[in-house]
Coordinates of all heavy atoms in Angstrom, one line a residue:
M1 N 50.1 56.8 86.7 CA 51.2 56.0 86.7 C 52.5 56.9 87.2 O 52.7 57.9 86.8 CB 51.6 55.5 85.3 CG 53.0 54.8 85.3 SD 53.5 54.5 83.6 CE 52.0 53.8 82.9
K2 N 53.2 56.3 88.2 CA 54.3 56.9 88.8 C 55.6 56.2 88.4 O 55.7 55.0 88.5 CB 54.2 56.9 90.4 CG 55.3 57.5 91.0 CD 55.4 59.0 90.7 CE 56.6 59.6 91.6 NZ 57.2 60.8 91.0
I3 N 56.5 56.9 87.9 CA 57.8 56.3 87.3 C 58.8 57.1 88.1 O 58.6 58.2 88.6 CB 58.0 56.5 85.8 CG1 56.9 55.9 85.0 CG2 59.4 56.0 85.4 CD1 57.0 56.1 83.6
E4 N 59.9 56.4 88.4 CA 61.0 57.1 89.3 C 61.2 58.5 88.8 O 61.1 58.8 87.6 CB 62.3 56.4 89.1 CG 62.3 55.0 89.7 CD 62.0 55.0 91.2 OE1 62.5 55.8 91.9 OE2 61.2 54.1 91.6
N5 N 61.5 59.4 89.7 CA 61.6 60.9 89.4 C 62.4 61.3 88.3 O 62.1 62.0 87.4 CB 61.9 61.7 90.7 CG 61.9 63.2 90.5 OD1 61.0 63.6 89.9 ND2 62.8 63.8 91.0
D6 N 63.6 60.6 88.2 CA 64.5 60.9 87.0 C 64.0 60.5 85.8 O 64.7 60.7 84.8 CB 66.0 60.6 87.4 CG 66.2 59.1 87.3 OD1 65.3 58.3 87.7 OD2 67.3 58.7 86.9
M7 N 63.0 59.8 85.7 CA 62.5 59.1 84.5 C 61.0 59.6 84.1 O 60.6 59.1 83.2 CB 62.6 57.6 84.5 CG 64.0 57.1 84.7 SD 63.9 55.3 84.8 CE 63.4 55.2 86.6
H8 N 60.4 60.4 84.9 CA 59.1 60.8 84.8 C 58.9 62.0 83.9 O 59.6 63.0 84.1 CB 58.4 61.0 86.2 CG 56.9 61.2 86.1 ND1 56.1 60.2 85.8 CD2 56.2 62.3 86.3 CE1 54.9 60.8 85.8 NE2 55.0 61.9 86.1
L9 N 58.0 61.9 82.9 CA 57.7 63.0 82.0 C 56.8 64.0 82.6 O 57.1 65.1 82.8 CB 57.3 62.5 80.6 CG 56.7 63.5 79.7 CD1 57.9 64.6 79.4 CD2 56.1 62.9 78.5
S10 N 55.5 63.6 82.9 CA 54.5 64.5 83.3 C 53.5 63.8 84.1 O 53.5 62.6 84.3 CB 53.9 65.0 82.1 OG 53.1 64.1 81.4
N11 N 52.7 64.6 84.8 CA 51.6 64.1 85.5 C 50.3 64.0 84.7 O 49.2 63.8 85.2 CB 51.4 65.0 86.8 CG 52.6 65.0 87.7 OD1 53.2 63.9 87.9 ND2 52.9 66.0 88.2
L12 N 50.4 64.4 83.5 CA 49.2 64.3 82.6 C 48.8 62.9 82.3 O 49.7 62.1 81.7 CB 49.5 65.1 81.3 CG 49.8 66.5 81.4 CD1 50.2 67.1 80.0 CD2 48.7 67.3 82.0
P13 N 47.6 62.5 82.5 CA 47.2 61.1 82.2 C 47.2 60.9 80.6 O 46.9 62.0 79.9 CB 45.8 61.0 82.8 CG 45.4 62.4 83.0 CD 46.6 63.3 83.2
D14 N 47.3 59.7 80.2 CA 47.3 59.4 78.8 C 48.3 60.1 77.9 O 48.1 60.2 76.7 CB 45.8 59.7 78.3 CG 44.8 58.9 79.0 OD1 45.1 57.7 79.3 OD2 43.7 59.4 79.1
S15 N 49.3 60.6 78.5 CA 50.5 61.2 77.6 C 51.1 60.0 76.9 O 51.0 58.8 77.4 CB 51.4 61.9 78.5 OG 52.3 61.2 79.2
V16 N 51.8 60.2 75.9 CA 52.5 59.2 75.1 C 53.4 58.4 76.0 O 53.5 57.2 76.0 CB 53.2 59.9 73.9 CG1 54.1 58.8 73.3 CG2 52.3 60.4 73.0
T17 N 54.1 59.1 76.9 CA 55.1 58.5 77.8 C 54.3 57.6 78.8 O 54.7 56.4 79.1 CB 56.0 59.2 78.6 OG1 55.2 60.3 79.3 CG2 56.9 60.0 77.5
D18 N 53.1 58.0 79.3 CA 52.4 57.2 80.3 C 51.9 55.9 79.6 O 51.8 54.8 80.2 CB 51.2 57.9 80.7 CG 51.7 59.0 81.8 OD1 52.7 58.8 82.4 OD2 50.9 59.9 82.0
I19 N 51.7 56.0 78.2 CA 51.2 54.8 77.5 C 52.3 53.8 77.2 O 52.3 52.6 77.4 CB 50.5 55.2 76.2 CG1 49.2 56.0 76.6 CG2 50.1 54.1 75.3 CD1 48.5 56.7 75.4
F20 N 53.4 54.4 76.7 CA 54.5 53.6 76.2 C 55.7 53.3 77.2 O 56.4 52.3 77.2 CB 55.2 54.2 75.0 CG 54.3 54.2 73.8 CD1 53.8 55.3 73.3 CD2 54.0 52.9 73.2 CE1 52.9 55.4 72.2 CE2 53.3 53.0 72.1 CZ 52.7 54.1 71.6
A21 N 55.8 54.1 78.3 CA 56.8 53.9 79.2 C 57.0 52.6 79.9 O 58.0 52.1 80.1 CB 56.9 55.1 80.3
P22 N 55.8 52.0 80.3 CA 55.9 50.7 81.0 C 56.6 49.6 80.1 O 57.4 48.9 80.6 CB 54.5 50.4 81.3 CG 53.8 51.6 81.4 CD 54.5 52.6 80.3
G23 N 56.3 49.6 78.9 CA 56.9 48.7 78.0 C 58.4 48.9 77.7 O 59.2 48.1 77.7
F24 N 58.7 50.2 77.5 CA 60.1 50.7 77.3 C 61.0 50.4 78.6 O 62.1 50.1 78.5 CB 60.2 51.9 76.8 CG 59.9 52.1 75.3 CD1 58.7 52.4 74.8 CD2 60.9 51.9 74.4 CE1 58.3 52.5 73.5 CE2 60.7 52.0 73.0 CZ 59.5 52.3 72.6
E25 N 60.3 50.6 79.7 CA 61.0 50.4 81.0 C 61.5 48.9 81.1 O 62.5 48.6 81.7 CB 60.1 50.8 82.2 CG 60.9 50.7 83.6 CD 62.2 51.6 83.6 OE1 62.1 52.7 83.3 OE2 63.2 51.0 84.0
A26 N 60.7 48.0 80.6 CA 61.0 46.6 80.6 C 62.1 46.2 79.8 O 62.6 45.0 79.8 CB 59.7 45.8 80.4
L27 N 62.4 47.0 78.8 CA 63.5 46.6 77.9 C 64.9 46.5 78.6 O 65.2 47.2 79.5 CB 63.6 47.7 76.8 CG 62.4 47.8 75.8 CD1 62.7 49.1 74.9 CD2 62.2 46.6 75.0
P28 N 65.7 45.5 78.1 CA 66.9 45.3 78.7 C 68.1 46.1 78.2 O 69.1 45.9 78.5 CB 67.2 43.8 78.3 CG 66.5 43.6 77.1 CD 65.3 44.4 77.1
F29 N 67.7 47.2 77.4 CA 68.6 48.1 76.8 C 68.2 49.5 77.0 O 67.0 49.7 77.3 CB 68.9 47.7 75.3 CG 67.7 47.7 74.5 CD1 67.2 48.9 74.0 CD2 67.1 46.6 74.1 CE1 65.9 48.9 73.3 CE2 65.9 46.5 73.4 CZ 65.4 47.6 72.9
A30 N 69.1 50.4 76.9 CA 68.8 51.9 77.1 C 67.9 52.5 76.1 O 68.0 52.1 75.0 CB 70.1 52.7 77.0
A31 N 66.8 53.2 76.6 CA 65.9 53.9 75.7 C 65.6 55.2 76.4 O 65.5 55.4 77.5 CB 64.6 53.0 75.6
L32 N 65.3 56.2 75.4 CA 64.9 57.5 75.8 C 63.8 58.1 74.9 O 63.9 57.8 73.7 CB 66.0 58.4 76.3 CG 67.2 58.7 75.3 CD1 66.8 59.7 74.2 CD2 68.2 59.3 76.1
F33 N 63.1 59.1 75.4 CA 62.1 59.8 74.5 C 62.7 61.2 74.5 O 62.9 61.7 75.6 CB 60.7 59.7 75.0 CG 60.1 58.3 75.0 CD1 59.0 58.1 75.8 CD2 60.6 57.3 74.4 CE1 58.3 56.9 75.9 CE2 60.0 56.0 74.4 CZ 58.9 55.8 75.3
Y34 N 62.6 61.8 73.3 CA 63.0 63.2 73.2 C 62.1 63.9 72.2 O 61.6 63.3 71.3 CB 64.5 63.4 73.1 CG 65.0 62.8 71.8 CD1 65.1 63.6 70.6 CD2 65.5 61.5 71.7 CE1 65.6 63.1 69.5 CE2 66.0 61.0 70.6 CZ 66.0 61.7 69.5 OH 66.6 61.2 68.3
I35 N 62.1 65.2 72.3 CA 61.4 66.0 71.3 C 62.4 66.4 70.2 O 63.5 66.7 70.5 CB 60.9 67.4 72.0 CG1 59.8 67.0 73.0 CG2 60.2 68.2 70.8 CD1 59.4 68.2 73.8
P36 N 62.0 66.4 69.0 CA 63.0 66.6 67.9 C 63.1 68.2 67.7 O 63.0 68.6 66.5 CB 62.4 65.9 66.6 CG 60.9 65.9 66.9 CD 60.8 65.8 68.4
D37 N 63.3 68.9 68.7 CA 63.6 70.3 68.6 C 65.0 70.6 68.6 O 65.8 69.8 68.5 CB 62.9 71.1 69.8 CG 63.4 70.7 71.2 OD1 64.3 69.8 71.2 OD2 62.8 71.1 72.2
D38 N 65.4 71.9 68.6 CA 66.9 72.3 68.5 C 67.7 71.7 69.6 O 68.8 71.3 69.5 CB 67.0 73.8 68.6 CG 66.5 74.4 67.2 OD1 66.3 73.7 66.2 OD2 66.1 75.7 67.2
K39 N 67.1 71.6 70.9 CA 67.8 71.0 72.0 C 67.7 69.5 72.1 O 68.4 69.0 72.9 CB 67.2 71.6 73.3 CG 67.5 73.0 73.5 CD 66.9 73.6 74.8 CE 66.5 72.6 75.8 NZ 66.1 73.1 77.1
L40 N 66.8 68.9 71.3 CA 66.6 67.5 71.5 C 66.1 67.3 73.0 O 66.7 66.5 73.8 CB 67.7 66.6 71.1 CG 68.2 66.7 69.7 CD1 69.4 65.9 69.5 CD2 67.1 66.5 68.7
T41 N 65.0 67.9 73.3 CA 64.6 68.0 74.7 C 64.2 66.6 75.2 O 63.3 66.0 74.6 CB 63.4 69.0 74.9 OG1 63.9 70.3 74.5 CG2 63.0 69.2 76.4
L42 N 64.8 66.2 76.4 CA 64.5 64.9 76.9 C 63.1 64.9 77.6 O 62.8 65.7 78.4 CB 65.6 64.5 77.9 CG 67.0 64.4 77.3 CD1 68.1 64.3 78.3 CD2 67.0 63.3 76.2
L43 N 62.3 63.8 77.3 CA 61.1 63.7 78.0 C 61.1 62.6 79.0 O 60.5 62.6 80.1 CB 60.1 63.3 76.9 CG 59.9 64.3 75.7 CD1 58.9 63.8 74.7 CD2 59.4 65.6 76.5
W44 N 61.8 61.4 78.7 CA 61.8 60.2 79.5 C 62.9 59.4 79.2 O 63.4 59.3 78.0 CB 60.4 59.5 79.3 CG 60.3 58.3 80.1 CD1 59.7 58.1 81.3 CD2 60.7 56.9 79.7 NE1 59.8 56.8 81.7 CE2 60.4 56.0 80.6 CE3 61.2 56.5 78.5 CZ2 60.6 54.7 80.6 CZ3 61.5 55.1 78.4 CH2 61.2 54.3 79.4
R45 N 63.4 58.5 80.1 CA 64.4 57.5 79.9 C 64.1 56.3 80.8 O 63.5 56.5 81.9 CB 65.7 58.1 80.0 CG 66.0 58.4 81.5 CD 67.3 59.1 81.6 NE 67.6 59.6 83.0 CZ 68.7 59.5 83.6 NH1 69.8 59.1 82.8 NH2 69.0 59.9 84.7
N46 N 64.5 55.1 80.3 CA 64.3 54.0 81.3 C 65.6 53.8 82.2 O 66.6 54.5 82.1 CB 64.0 52.7 80.4 CG 65.2 52.2 79.6 OD1 66.3 52.8 79.5 ND2 64.9 51.2 78.8
Q47 N 65.3 53.0 83.2 CA 66.4 52.7 84.2 C 67.7 52.3 83.5 O 68.7 52.6 83.9 CB 65.9 51.7 85.2 CG 66.9 51.6 86.3 CD 67.2 52.8 87.1 OE1 66.5 53.7 87.2 NE2 68.5 52.8 87.7
A48 N 67.6 51.5 82.4 CA 68.8 50.9 81.8 C 69.5 52.1 81.2 O 70.9 52.1 81.1 CB 68.3 49.9 80.6
H49 N 69.0 53.1 80.7 CA 69.6 54.3 80.2 C 70.3 55.1 81.4 O 71.4 55.5 81.2 CB 68.8 55.2 79.5 CG 69.5 56.4 78.8 ND1 69.9 57.6 79.5 CD2 69.9 56.6 77.6 CE1 70.6 58.3 78.7 NE2 70.6 57.8 77.5
A50 N 69.6 55.2 82.5 CA 70.3 55.9 83.6 C 71.5 55.1 84.1 O 72.5 55.7 84.4 CB 69.3 55.9 84.8
V51 N 71.5 53.8 84.1 CA 72.6 53.0 84.5 C 73.7 53.0 83.4 O 74.9 53.4 83.8 CB 72.2 51.5 84.6 CG1 73.4 50.7 84.9 CG2 71.2 51.3 85.9
M52 N 73.3 52.9 82.2 CA 74.3 53.0 81.1 C 75.1 54.3 81.1 O 76.3 54.4 80.9 CB 73.6 52.8 79.7 CG 74.5 52.7 78.5 SD 74.8 54.3 77.6 CE 73.1 55.1 77.5
S53 N 74.3 55.4 81.3 CA 74.9 56.8 81.2 C 75.6 57.2 82.6 O 76.2 58.3 82.6 CB 73.9 57.8 80.8 OG 72.9 57.9 81.9
G54 N 75.5 56.4 83.6 CA 76.0 56.7 84.8 C 75.5 57.9 85.5 O 76.1 58.6 86.2
S55 N 74.1 58.0 85.3 CA 73.4 59.2 85.8 C 72.2 58.8 86.6 O 71.3 59.6 86.6 CB 73.0 60.2 84.5 OG 72.3 59.5 83.8
E56 N 72.3 57.8 87.3 CA 71.1 57.4 88.1 C 70.8 58.5 89.2 O 71.8 59.0 89.7 CB 71.4 56.1 88.8 CG 71.5 54.8 87.9 CD 71.9 53.6 88.6 OE1 73.1 53.4 88.7 OE2 71.0 52.8 89.0
G57 N 69.6 58.6 89.4 CA 69.1 59.7 90.3 C 69.1 61.1 89.8 O 68.6 61.9 90.5
R58 N 69.7 61.3 88.7 CA 69.6 62.8 88.1 C 68.4 63.0 87.4 O 68.0 62.0 86.6 CB 70.8 63.0 87.2 CG 72.0 63.2 87.8 CD 73.2 63.7 86.9 NE 72.8 64.5 85.9 CZ 73.2 64.5 84.6 NH1 74.0 63.6 84.3 NH2 72.8 65.3 83.6
D59 N 67.7 64.0 87.4 CA 66.5 64.4 86.8 C 67.0 65.1 85.6 O 67.4 66.3 85.5 CB 65.6 65.3 87.6 CG 64.2 65.5 86.9 OD1 64.1 65.0 85.8 OD2 63.4 66.3 87.4
V60 N 66.8 64.5 84.3 CA 67.2 65.1 83.1 C 66.0 65.6 82.3 O 66.2 66.1 81.2 CB 68.2 64.1 82.3 CG1 69.4 63.9 83.1 CG2 67.5 62.9 82.0
T61 N 64.9 65.3 82.8 CA 63.6 65.7 82.0 C 63.6 67.2 81.8 O 63.9 68.0 82.7 CB 62.4 65.3 82.8 OG1 62.3 63.9 83.0 CG2 61.1 65.7 82.1
G62 N 63.4 67.5 80.6 CA 63.4 69.0 80.1 C 64.6 69.6 79.7 O 64.8 70.6 79.1
M63 N 65.8 68.8 79.9 CA 67.1 69.3 79.5 C 67.3 68.9 78.0 O 66.8 67.9 77.6 CB 68.2 68.6 80.4 CG 68.1 68.9 81.9 SD 69.3 68.1 82.8 CE 70.9 68.9 82.3
G64 N 68.2 69.6 77.3 CA 68.7 69.2 76.1 C 69.5 68.0 76.2 O 70.3 67.8 77.2
M65 N 69.5 67.0 75.2 CA 70.2 65.8 75.2 C 71.6 66.0 75.5 O 72.3 65.4 76.3 CB 70.0 65.0 73.9 CG 70.7 63.7 73.9 SD 70.5 62.8 72.4 CE 68.7 62.6 72.3
F66 N 72.3 67.0 74.8 CA 73.7 67.2 75.0 C 74.1 68.2 76.1 O 75.3 68.2 76.5 CB 74.3 67.8 73.7 CG 74.0 66.8 72.5 CD1 73.3 67.3 71.4 CD2 74.4 65.6 72.6 CE1 72.9 66.4 70.4 CE2 74.1 64.6 71.5 CZ 73.3 65.1 70.4
E67 N 73.1 68.7 76.7 CA 73.3 69.4 78.0 C 73.2 68.3 79.1 O 74.1 68.3 80.0 CB 72.2 70.4 78.2 CG 72.0 71.0 79.6 CD 70.8 71.8 79.9 OE1 69.8 71.9 79.0 OE2 70.7 72.4 81.0
A68 N 72.4 67.4 79.1 CA 72.2 66.3 80.1 C 73.4 65.4 79.9 O 73.9 64.9 81.0 CB 71.0 65.6 79.9
F69 N 73.8 65.1 78.7 CA 74.8 64.1 78.4 C 75.9 64.6 77.5 O 75.8 64.4 76.3 CB 74.2 62.8 77.9 CG 73.1 62.3 78.7 CD1 71.8 62.4 78.2 CD2 73.3 61.7 80.0 CE1 70.8 61.9 79.0 CE2 72.3 61.2 80.8 CZ 71.0 61.4 80.3
P70 N 76.8 65.6 78.0 CA 77.7 66.2 77.1 C 78.6 65.1 76.5 O 79.1 64.2 77.1 CB 78.5 67.0 78.1 CG 77.8 67.2 79.3 CD 76.9 65.9 79.4
P71 N 78.7 65.3 75.1 CA 79.6 64.4 74.4 C 81.1 64.7 74.7 O 81.4 65.8 75.1 CB 79.3 64.6 73.0 CG 78.7 66.0 72.9 CD 78.1 66.2 74.3
S72 N 81.9 63.7 74.5 CA 83.3 63.9 74.6 C 83.7 65.1 73.6 O 83.1 65.3 72.5 CB 84.1 62.6 74.3 OG 84.0 62.3 73.0
G73 N 84.8 65.6 73.8 CA 85.2 66.8 73.0 C 86.1 66.3 71.8 O 86.5 67.1 70.9
D74 N 86.2 64.9 71.6 CA 87.0 64.4 70.5 C 86.2 64.2 69.3 O 84.9 64.6 69.3 CB 87.8 63.2 70.9 CG 86.8 62.1 71.3 OD1 85.6 62.2 71.1 OD2 87.3 61.1 71.9
A75 N 86.8 63.6 68.3 CA 86.0 63.4 67.0 C 84.9 62.5 67.2 O 83.8 62.6 66.5 CB 86.9 62.9 65.9
E76 N 85.0 61.5 68.0 CA 83.9 60.6 68.3 C 82.7 61.3 68.9 O 81.5 61.0 68.6 CB 84.4 59.5 69.2 CG 85.2 58.4 68.6 CD 85.6 57.2 69.4 OE1 84.9 57.0 70.5 OE2 86.6 56.5 69.1
G77 N 82.8 62.3 69.8 CA 81.8 63.1 70.3 C 81.1 63.8 69.2 O 79.8 63.9 69.2
S78 N 81.8 64.5 68.4 CA 81.2 65.3 67.3 C 80.4 64.3 66.3 O 79.4 64.7 65.8 CB 82.4 66.0 66.5 OG 82.9 66.9 67.3
D79 N 81.1 63.1 66.1 CA 80.3 62.2 65.2 C 79.0 61.8 65.8 O 78.0 61.5 65.1 CB 81.2 61.0 64.9 CG 82.4 61.3 64.1 OD1 82.5 62.3 63.4 OD2 83.3 60.5 64.0
A80 N 79.0 61.6 67.2 CA 77.8 61.1 67.9 C 76.7 62.2 67.7 O 75.6 61.9 67.5 CB 78.1 60.8 69.2
I81 N 77.1 63.5 67.9 CA 76.1 64.5 67.8 C 75.6 64.6 66.3 O 74.3 64.6 66.2 CB 76.8 65.9 68.1 CG1 77.1 65.9 69.6 CG2 75.8 67.0 67.7 CD1 77.9 67.2 70.0
A82 N 76.4 64.5 65.4 CA 76.0 64.5 64.1 C 75.1 63.4 63.7 O 74.0 63.5 62.9 CB 77.2 64.5 63.0
F83 N 75.5 62.2 64.1 CA 74.6 61.0 63.9 C 73.2 61.2 64.4 O 72.3 60.8 63.9 CB 75.3 59.7 64.4 CG 74.5 58.5 64.3 CD1 74.4 57.8 63.0 CD2 73.7 58.0 65.3 CE1 73.6 56.7 63.0 CE2 72.9 57.0 65.2 CZ 72.9 56.2 64.0
I84 N 73.1 61.5 65.7 CA 71.8 61.7 66.4 C 71.0 62.7 65.6 O 69.8 62.5 65.4 CB 72.0 61.9 67.9 CG1 72.6 60.7 68.5 CG2 70.7 62.4 68.6 CD1 73.1 61.0 70.0
R85 N 71.6 63.9 65.4 CA 70.8 64.9 64.7 C 70.3 64.4 63.3 O 69.2 64.7 62.9 CB 71.6 66.2 64.7 CG 71.7 66.9 65.9 CD 72.1 68.4 65.8 NE 72.4 68.9 67.1 CZ 71.4 69.4 67.9 NH1 70.2 69.3 67.5 NH2 71.7 70.0 69.1
K86 N 71.2 63.8 62.6 CA 70.8 63.4 61.2 C 69.7 62.3 61.3 O 68.7 62.4 60.5 CB 72.1 62.8 60.5 CG 71.7 62.3 59.1 CD 73.0 61.8 58.4 CE 72.5 61.3 57.0 NZ 73.6 60.6 56.3
A87 N 69.8 61.3 62.2 CA 68.8 60.3 62.3 C 67.5 60.9 62.8 O 66.5 60.6 62.3 CB 69.3 59.3 63.4
T88 N 67.5 61.9 63.6 CA 66.3 62.5 64.1 C 65.7 63.3 62.9 O 64.4 63.2 62.7 CB 66.6 63.5 65.3 OG1 67.1 62.8 66.3 CG2 65.4 64.3 65.7
D89 N 66.4 64.1 62.1 CA 66.0 64.7 61.0 C 65.3 63.9 60.0 O 64.3 64.2 59.4 CB 67.1 65.7 60.4 CG 67.5 66.8 61.3 OD1 66.8 67.2 62.2 OD2 68.6 67.4 60.9
E90 N 65.9 62.7 59.8 CA 65.4 61.8 58.8 C 64.1 61.2 59.2 O 63.2 61.1 58.4 CB 66.4 60.6 58.5 CG 67.6 61.1 57.7 CD 68.7 60.0 57.5 OE1 68.3 58.9 57.9 OE2 69.8 60.4 57.1
I91 N 63.9 61.0 60.5 CA 62.6 60.4 61.1 C 61.6 61.5 60.9 O 60.5 61.3 60.4 CB 62.8 60.0 62.4 CG1 63.7 58.7 62.5 CG2 61.5 59.7 63.1 CD1 64.2 58.4 64.0
V92 N 62.0 62.8 61.2 CA 60.9 63.9 61.1 C 60.5 64.1 59.7 O 59.4 64.2 59.3 CB 61.5 65.2 61.7 CG1 60.6 66.4 61.4 CG2 61.6 64.9 63.3
K93 N 61.5 64.0 58.8 CA 61.2 64.2 57.3 C 60.2 63.1 56.8 O 59.3 63.4 56.0 CB 62.5 64.2 56.4 CG 63.2 65.5 56.6 CD 64.5 65.4 55.8 CE 65.4 66.6 56.1 NZ 66.7 66.5 55.4
K94 N 60.5 61.8 57.2 CA 59.6 60.8 56.7 C 58.2 60.9 57.3 O 57.3 60.7 56.6 CB 60.3 59.4 57.2 CG 61.4 59.0 56.4 CD 62.0 57.6 56.9 CE 63.2 57.3 56.2 NZ 63.8 56.0 56.6
D95 N 58.1 61.4 58.5 CA 56.8 61.6 59.2 C 56.1 62.7 58.5 O 54.9 62.6 58.2 CB 57.0 61.9 60.6 CG 55.7 62.1 61.3 OD1 54.8 61.1 61.2 OD2 55.3 63.1 61.9
N96 N 56.8 63.7 58.1 CA 56.1 64.9 57.3 C 55.6 64.5 55.9 O 54.7 65.0 55.4 CB 57.2 66.1 57.3 CG 57.2 66.7 58.5 OD1 56.4 66.7 59.5 ND2 58.4 67.4 58.8
R97 N 56.3 63.5 55.4 CA 55.9 63.1 54.0 C 54.6 62.3 54.1 O 53.8 62.2 53.1 CB 57.0 62.2 53.4 CG 58.1 63.0 52.8 CD 59.1 62.1 52.2 NE 60.2 62.0 53.0 CZ 61.2 61.1 52.9 NH1 61.2 60.3 51.9 NH2 62.2 61.1 53.7
R98 N 54.2 61.7 55.2 CA 53.0 61.0 55.4 C 51.8 61.9 55.5 O 50.7 61.5 55.3 CB 53.1 60.1 56.6 CG 54.0 59.0 56.5 CD 53.9 58.2 57.8 NE 55.0 57.3 57.9 CZ 55.4 56.8 59.0 NH1 54.7 56.9 60.1 NH2 56.4 55.9 59.0
K99 N 52.0 63.2 55.8 CA 50.9 64.1 56.0 C 50.3 64.6 54.7 O 50.8 64.7 53.7 CB 51.4 65.2 56.9 CG 51.6 64.7 58.3 CD 52.1 65.8 59.2 CE 52.6 65.3 60.5 NZ 53.3 66.2 61.4

């Protein structure tokens, strides 16, 4: 499956993004996939996210979320970083409890 360059994760068949990306691409709202590592490494995003973030045509795959999309320097930017990290940590903790 070929997805626009700035939204493509890998050339590996049957990767999670190859399976889910077509459905997420069709969503009318911004969506992205990332690894819950220290950088929140970006794997894939849909066209709605590229438009919303004003970054159409940029390849952000492999970049850290806040490297690719630097938050504002004000309190709202700091709050956004904290919210995303906390939400990610909570999802990872819930997943680890299932094992």
